[in-house]
């Protein structure tokens, strides 16, 4: 099995690497779901170096997912009262199907346990069927539907999903 590392990201250089990878992932995966204009808007608003630095100042923690020394994905979470809000978990299409998404969730579960928390919460686009199926397979449950205005006339039309983590 290839060597996978999940490494904390804090430097501008780390965020530049993630921003570049995010653009590749989002333009390929999300353009058919939400369209190119909304993808471009969301990349700038949520996945740019400046956006990541602001999120870190608000308590988010970013991690790079590397396989055999290559950056193939990233994740970000923020601690909440009872758990971690998994804001981002993305794996490049060339690295999907190798268990990296599951490894990322296992990493986050370990963080939940280390911190004495009890759950992972995330949101996922309602039309992102493959990701929803993967989350359900890993034990997440849909808890509610969310429609959030994110500006410029765009909305995020998501499911909230939660995974209870035993201690």
């Amino acid at each position: 099995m290839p060597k996978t590392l999940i490494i904390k990201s804090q430097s501008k250089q780390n965020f530049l690497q993630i921003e570049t990878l995010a653009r590749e992932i989002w333009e390929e995966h999300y353009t058919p779901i939400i369209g190119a204009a909304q993808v471009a808007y969301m990349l700038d608003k949520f996945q740019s170096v400046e956006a990541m630095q602001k999120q870190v100042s608000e308590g988010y923690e970013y991690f790079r997912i590397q396989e055999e020394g290559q950056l193939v994905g990233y994740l970000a979470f923020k601690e909440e009262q009872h758990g971690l809000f998994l804001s981002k978990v993305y794996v490049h299409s060339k690295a999907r199907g190798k268990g990296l998404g599951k490894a990322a969730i296992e990493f986050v579960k370990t963080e939940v346990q280390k911190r004495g928390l009890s759950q992972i919460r995330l949101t996922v686009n309602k039309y992102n069927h493959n990701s929803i199926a993967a989350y359900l397979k890993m034990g997440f449950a849909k808890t509610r539907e969310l429609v959030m205005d994110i500006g410029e006339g765009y909305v995020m039309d998501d499911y909230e999903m939660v995974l209870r983590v035993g201690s």
Side-chain angles (χ1 to χ4, degrees), residues 6 8 55-56 58-63 74-80 83-89 104 107-112 115 117 120-121:
I6 299 178
K8 187 141 190 178
Q55 292 161 20
V56 167
E58 297 168 348
Y60 286 86
E61 298 174 54
Y62 271 81
F63 298 84
Y74 64 102
L75 64 94
F77 58 71
K78 181 178 182 179
E79 191 168 323
E80 300 179 318
L84 294 178
F85 170 60
L86 182 57
S87 171
K88 297 163 184 63
V89 59
F107 172 80
V108 177
K109 283 169 69 174
T110 300
E111 287 295 315
V112 166
R115 298 166 191 229
L117 302 170
I120 301 169
R121 184 176 70 86

Side-chain angles (χ1 to χ4, degrees), residues 16-69:
L16 280 167
Q17 293 169 334
I18 293 169
E19 178 184 64
T20 300
L21 181 65
R23 188 163 305 285
E24 287 180 34
I25 292 170
W26 275 68
E27 287 175 353
E28 176 190 8
H29 187 79
Y30 287 100
T31 299
I33 298 173
I34 61 176
Q38 186 168 346
V39 165
Y41 174 74
M42 291 182 73
L43 282 167
D44 183 56
K45 185 168 178 76
F46 301 113
Q47 313 283 318
S48 66
V49 170
E50 295 77 18
M52 286 182 260
Q53 289 173 323
K54 181 177 187 287
Q55 292 161 20
V56 167
S57 76
E58 297 168 348
Y60 286 86
E61 298 174 54
Y62 271 81
F63 298 84
R64 298 179 318 282
I65 302 169
Q66 293 187 335
E67 182 182 50
E68 300 295 335

